[in-house]
Amino acid sequence: MVSEREFDALFRNLYGELYVFARRFITHEADCEDIVSDAFEDVWRNLSCLTSATVRSFLYRDVRNKCIDFLRRQTVRRQYADLMASVTQGYDSADGLTELHERERIVSDVLESLPDYTRQIFTACYVDRKQYVQVAEELTISPNTVKKYISQALKLIVGQRQKH
Amino acid sequence: MTEEAIMLMEPGAMVNRGQTDCLAHEPDLRETCEDIFLAQLVLAQKQEQVPNVEAKLTEFHDRVDKHRRMRPIVWTAIAMAAATLAAVFFLRPKEQPAEAQPTAVVFAADNSQQQVTVETVSGTPVPVKVVRKQDKADATVVIGQTELQIEEQLALSVPQGESLQLLLPDGTHVYLHPGSRIVYPNVFTGSSRQVKLTGEAYFCVAHDPQHPFLVSTPQGTICDYGTEFNVSARTDGLTEVVLVEGSVGVTPTDGKEQMLVPGQKCYMEESQCTVEEANTDPYISWRDGYFHFEETTLREILEELGRYYNYNVECPNSYLLNYRMRFIIPRNQDVAYAVMMLNRMGKVKVSLRGNTITVE
């Protein structure tokens, strides 16, 4: 059972990270805010069946599903919805979520160890959502070079992951 | 493989069905894509502008929790002149009970008399005997034919709670799902064999190249050339055809014929035909007496079970309905069996009360 006071604490602790998570699927900020709010509303209506241990995975799963449904409803984004569904499958279960949080730590460590330039390229591509060609133009290098930087970093991440 | 992952995860990349299907079969590629996703997440966490959480929390309670909003009004009233205290006391709003959880009704049973019926197209009922065998998933019918003209059109209705295997005069087998209706002649004459369908059915058409077999649905016609296929003409405005074996042509109303090869699925909607690859196993399984759900949402699974057994289905925690599973069980068992097998999946708790299935 989650009490109303605990609910407020949960909201304050988790809203931010869930919003950032939703933004990986959907670019429009207001849509992400609505989805995260709706997910907390689902928690609110199910306080009696959740515990502080289960609520986190409930929220991740709910936000993920709502994001994918949202994408699916836009016909042009259906394939993208399927891709995201496949890539984020892990968030669908409590065990998966724990594993992904672990891997987040590993990825974070690798990214910290990279030269600024590589991190800059990663950010431009995946956080600012620019196409590789666009990033290449902005940095006056070739698209292949952009991909090579990403590839090097990615190989490091994969390597670290496999070690664990 | 990192190259493939980089290509798939490029922002704004147009990914196609083949590529996403690939991911399902290549766990290494998927994990590498996950790494890219995680990298995005980690970097975004450092720089993303998050909305003001306190403001969002207040907004949340204003919207969802009317309980809290009431109190400020009561306090203000009491703070007014003592003379009005009695009035305030009586005017004070009653404590709102905790908002009842909306029970999501997933499927409603049909409580009217449920029977398999056959009538002529003009509405005259025709005697029909329904034969149910213990171990068979589908019942069969024996239709009293003595009073009928040659080539009389018959309308066979299968209610919720029943499924039927029908043998047509040409030897075609039709496996009818609950909630379906088929119109067919008691003898096929003429250059083609025509039937009309609403609902869902699996057809094993008797081979006769001289006489194409036509299924007409509200959205369009399926022309078969000797083969096995499934037609779902259930939802308003959408008909779906899956070809298992042989060759069919699908013609939407006011549209052009689209040929299908085995393993393809065609959606007919508003004179348009969309063709996709499909897994035919679930459809073949129905023919062979099984429920077969492959990565299907719990919502769909529950709707099918509700319709098949004619039970109400309720699920208060509607977020559970989006859960996808693989679920295969024989259809020749009772609802208690299906409920037990669902429970065995370990993902939800299902119980039976009266004629309602409750999922939580």
Side-chain angles (χ1 to χ4, degrees):
Chain A
M1 220 335 295
V2 176
S3 74
E4 291 188 18
R5 191 186 306 153
E6 281 175 290
F7 176 86
D8 280 4
L10 280 164
F11 192 101
R12 290 188 178 101
N13 286 337
L14 295 174
Y15 186 96
E17 77 181 72
L18 289 165
Y19 173 82
V20 174
F21 178 66
R23 282 263 298 155
R24 299 300 97 226
F25 296 82
I26 293 164
T27 42
H28 194 49
E29 289 95 341
D31 290 330
C32 292
E33 289 174 23
D34 288 343
I35 284 178
V36 177
S37 256
D38 287 347
F40 273 105
E41 191 173 334
D42 289 340
V43 169
W44 180 255
R45 298 199 187 289
N46 290 288
L47 290 178
S48 54
C49 359
L50 292 168
T51 66
S52 46
T54 56
V55 76
R56 195 197 180 89
S57 64
F58 174 100
L59 278 165
Y60 266 93
R61 188 159 30 129
D62 204 21
V63 170
R64 174 188 174 257
N65 286 338
K66 285 173 159 51
C67 286
I68 291 173
D69 282 346
F70 181 89
L71 289 171
R72 283 226 169 93
R73 267 178 267 134
Q74 307 172 323
T75 356
V76 281
R77 311 243 67 196
R78 254 184 219 148
Q79 292 307 330
Y80 177 68
D82 288 342
L83 175 67
M84 288 306 278
S86 196
V87 172
T88 61
Q89 225 172 288
Y91 288 95
D92 208 31
S93 73
D95 289 338
L97 183 65
T98 315
E99 193 201 307
L100 282 165
H101 280 335
E102 275 288 312
R103 282 172 59 185
E104 229 181 279
R105 229 184 9 95
I106 297 174
V107 170
S108 184
D109 288 343
V110 172
L111 287 174
E112 286 289 298
S113 72
L114 292 173
D116 282 344
Y117 193 59
T118 318
R119 226 183 0 257
Q120 193 188 344
I121 290 182
F122 251 91
T123 307
C125 294
Y126 298 123
V127 179
D128 303 334
R129 290 182 226 260
K130 298 186 179 148
Q131 291 184 322
Y132 302 141
V133 176
Q134 200 182 339
V135 175
E137 259 182 51
E138 288 175 10
L139 298 174
T140 54
I141 51 181
S142 80
N144 274 332
T145 312
V146 171
K147 288 191 212 166
K148 240 189 255 169
Y149 272 99
I150 296 180
S151 180
Q152 276 171 3
L154 194 53
K155 288 195 176 118
L156 278 174
I157 293 174
V158 174
Q160 282 299 98
R161 175 180 25 101
Q162 286 171 343
K163 261 201 237 158
H164 290 74
Chain B
M1 198 201 359
T2 40
E3 278 68 43
E4 264 187 84
I6 292 175
M7 191 183 69
L8 278 171
M9 298 296 282
E10 176 167 15
M14 289 306 287
V15 184
N16 69 42
R17 185 59 176 250
Q19 290 170 313
T20 46
D21 282 348
C22 240
L23 274 184
H25 303 301
E26 292 183 51
D28 288 335
L29 176 59
R30 209 199 70 225
E31 282 191 316
T32 310
C33 290
E34 277 175 348
D35 287 327
I36 296 183
F37 178 84
L38 290 168
Q40 292 183 22
L41 194 53
V42 165
L43 290 168
Q45 281 164 352
K46 299 210 169 86
Q47 68 170 61
E48 187 98 17
Q49 284 268 21
V50 177
N52 180 331
V53 179
E54 274 310 313
K56 286 286 158 189
L57 183 56
T58 314
E59 217 181 274
F60 180 89
H61 280 301
D62 281 346
R63 181 167 67 93
V64 163
D65 183 19
K66 297 173 183 83
H67 203 18
R68 279 204 209 179
R69 234 194 308 150
M70 289 307 234
R71 263 177 240 147
I73 299 172
V74 172
W75 283 117
T76 321
I78 290 178
M80 285 165 72
T84 60
L85 196 56
V88 167
F89 189 80
F90 290 114
L91 280 175
R92 181 172 163 166
K94 264 215 302 248
E95 285 290 272
Q96 295 278 15
E99 211 159 348
Q101 286 193 40
T103 308
V105 173
V106 182
F107 189 82
D110 187 336
N111 294 315
S112 61
Q113 276 296 358
Q114 289 299 306
Q115 279 173 39
V116 172
T117 60
V118 179
E119 15 176 77
T120 62
V121 164
S122 48
T124 321
V126 175
V128 57
K129 191 166 107 170
V130 180
V131 179
R132 290 185 190 90
K133 288 214 186 102
Q134 181 71 0
D135 61 334
K136 289 266 167 205
D138 301 311
T140 52
V141 281
V142 177
I143 297 177
Q145 300 261 6
T146 45
E147 306 283 303
L148 299 172
Q149 318 266 22
I150 298 288
E151 228 205 320
E152 180 103 46
Q153 293 282 342
L154 299 170
L156 168 71
S157 295
V158 180
Q160 283 169 197
E162 291 275 5
S163 65
L164 218 63
Q165 187 190 337
L166 178 69
L167 183 62
L168 293 179
D170 65 337
T172 297
H173 287 270
V174 186
Y175 296 80
L176 291 150
H177 286 238
S180 302
R181 184 174 183 269
I182 183 170
V183 179
Y184 66 99
N186 63 350
V187 175
F188 285 116
T189 58
S191 55
S192 63
R193 304 169 274 166
Q194 295 194 33
V195 304
K196 279 211 271 245
L197 177 76
T198 48
E200 183 169 355
Y202 186 98
F203 291 84
C204 294
V205 179
H207 193 59
D208 185 351
Q210 251 71 46
H211 303 93
F213 188 90
L214 289 141
V215 182
S216 93
T217 71
Q219 287 295 324
T221 308
I222 298 106
C223 181
D224 166 81
Y225 304 96
T227 187
E228 288 193 29
F229 58 96
N230 193 78
V231 180
S232 177
R234 210 183 268 294
T235 330
D236 281 321
L238 177 72
T239 292
E240 189 190 279
V241 182
V242 177
L243 179 60
V244 173
E245 208 180 278
S247 167
V248 294
V250 180
T251 314
T253 326
D254 300 331
K256 290 203 314 230
E257 183 175 50
Q258 169 77 47
M259 293 302 293
L260 294 185
V261 299
Q264 284 187 327
K265 177 195 283 202
C266 173
Y267 296 103
M268 279 198 280
E269 187 178 24
E270 311 225 356
S271 321
Q272 296 272 45
C273 238
T274 317
V275 180
E276 267 182 21
E277 300 288 296
N279 177 8
T280 55
D281 290 344
Y283 303 94
I284 299 173
S285 294
W286 177 278
R287 180 199 70 190
D288 297 340
Y290 290 88
F291 283 115
H292 182 151
F293 300 106
E294 205 63 68
E295 283 300 293
T296 311
T297 59
L298 183 61
R299 177 181 281 117
E300 258 188 74
I301 296 177
L302 291 172
E303 279 173 7
E304 287 267 346
L305 291 176
R307 190 180 296 125
Y308 188 79
Y309 292 108
N310 197 27
Y311 266 62
N312 295 308
V313 183
E314 282 172 18
C315 181
N317 304 333
S318 56
Y319 74 94
L320 289 171
L321 296 173
N322 295 322
Y323 192 88
R324 286 182 185 268
M325 14 179 152
R326 182 166 198 265
F327 186 58
I328 304 177
I329 54 166
R331 291 193 289 116
N332 63 352
Q333 306 290 327
D334 63 6
V335 64
Y337 176 83
V339 165
M340 177 184 77
M341 295 307 279
L342 253 185
N343 276 321
R344 284 231 195 122
M345 305 287 292
K347 301 292 179 187
V348 288
K349 196 171 120 218
V350 192
S351 46
L352 269 182
R353 260 172 231 124
N355 77 331
T356 303
I357 300 171
T358 312
V359 180
E360 49 213 351

